[in-house]
Amino acid sequence: MAAGDVEGAGMSVISKTARVFTVLSRSPELSIAALATALDEPATSIYRIVGHLEAIGWIEKSPQRGRYRLGLDLASIAAAVENSLDIRQLASPVLAGLNAQTHESAYLCVPHDRRAVCIERFDGNFIQAAELPRGGSLPLHRGAASLAILAFEPDHVRREYIAALSSADANPFTESDVLALEETLARIRATGVALSEGDVTPGISTAAAPVFDHRGTVVGSISLSALRSRVEANAIDFGPLVSEASRRVSAGLGYSVEASA
């Protein structure tokens, strides 16, 4: 067989293998016959591929006789890939670009223990000491960076968080506080952007947008902060900027709107 033919045959096997993984990821347990039908390939060809993958632990037999599923060894590889997707590494050049474009302060926050923690920031030319230094944090209901995360948490997480605010020993939320927060979160989910006007630091305007991972889970937010006087004087709209920035970082983490729909 010519070298080109060997290479082509190898790529064909790799392509078929990838398609087997794709089908099993969507239908967790299938027989050889069902895989062959789904892939429109001969059962003998699929049998050989599954046999090789089973031998290295990437596919395993299901408790149901004659069925196969993705193996634990493949899951460990997927976990290693997931852990290598460093949100800070992905976001840093995006934040630097926002900072260079606007000369304002750009932040990356991630959720931790019901707070939004700033893990990266690029200071602007006009404010260097805003409310969120690197390593600083805010409750999830205070400030645009926090609200952009809370708005896209699962329903039960938001309910538990708001319930905790209502039952707090100090300054518990009233019914009107809860209603106002829920309306704010609904508005953020509708627009994809959180805005705050001096609610954390007087005179500071902030816009933030959520960052999602490959599962569609909110894992952080990107925000821009500026003096309100500069925003008003220059008619700056930070919303589209943070939306595009968060979209780029989310894409780097494997998120796609189509897959999450």
Side-chain angles (χ1 to χ4, degrees):
M1 183 182 292
D5 293 336
V6 172
E7 183 179 348
M11 289 305 298
S12 176
V13 172
I14 292 172
S15 176
K16 289 178 184 178
T17 300
R19 291 169 63 208
V20 168
F21 289 146
T22 299
V23 170
L24 284 177
S25 71
R26 295 171 179 169
S27 302
E29 296 184 0
L30 291 174
S31 66
I32 296 293
L35 276 168
T37 298
L39 297 169
D40 194 24
E41 295 283 350
T44 53
S45 175
I46 298 303
Y47 185 83
R48 284 195 299 271
I49 291 173
V50 168
H52 291 312
L53 294 174
E54 183 184 7
I56 60 176
W58 288 8
I59 282 179
E60 62 187 20
K61 285 187 173 72
S62 163
Q64 288 188 277
R65 184 177 176 83
R67 291 176 176 265
Y68 293 84
R69 63 190 182 188
L70 297 178
L72 290 178
D73 286 353
L74 184 64
S76 66
I77 292 173
V81 172
E82 179 178 355
N83 291 336
S84 72
L85 297 175
D86 185 339
I87 185 174
R88 182 178 176 186
Q89 183 178 5
L90 286 167
S92 288
V94 176
L95 293 174
L98 283 175
N99 172 255
Q101 180 180 357
T102 64
H103 307 294
E104 307 295 354
S105 296
Y107 308 81
L108 170 66
C109 292
V110 297
H112 177 70
D113 195 22
R114 297 187 174 184
R115 298 180 72 85
V117 181
C118 177
I119 63 171
E120 186 60 281
R121 77 175 259 169
F122 288 79
D123 286 330
N125 295 345
F126 306 96
I127 51 172
Q128 284 80 39
E131 65 272 12
L132 268 181
R134 191 179 289 110
S137 67
L138 287 170
L140 286 178
H141 64 286
R142 290 198 63 208
S146 301
L147 288 167
I149 295 172
L150 181 59
F152 291 92
E153 290 281 21
D155 290 345
H156 73 277
V157 173
R158 291 198 307 273
R159 287 196 297 269
E160 290 172 3
Y161 184 85
I162 293 174
L165 293 176
S166 300
S167 61
D169 293 331
N171 303 315
F173 264 38
T174 64
E175 288 187 15
S176 60
D177 292 332
V178 169
L179 180 60
L181 178 56
E182 289 177 339
E183 289 177 347
T184 296
L185 296 176
R187 184 166 58 251
I188 295 169
R189 287 192 297 275
T191 64
V193 175
L195 302 173
S196 64
E197 293 288 345
D199 55 335
V200 176
T201 302
I204 301 296
S205 295
T206 303
V211 174
F212 300 99
D213 68 8
H214 65 286
R215 297 189 184 93
T217 300
V218 62
V219 292
S221 67
I222 285 181
S223 59
L224 271 172
S225 291
L227 293 171
R228 182 186 300 171
S229 57
R230 277 184 48 78
V231 173
E232 293 174 348
N234 297 304
I236 304 172
D237 185 0
F238 285 161
L241 296 177
V242 294
S243 291
E244 173 60 17
S246 68
R247 185 199 63 77
R248 289 172 58 194
V249 177
S250 297
L253 292 171
Y255 175 74
S256 70
V257 174
E258 293 79 8
S260 65

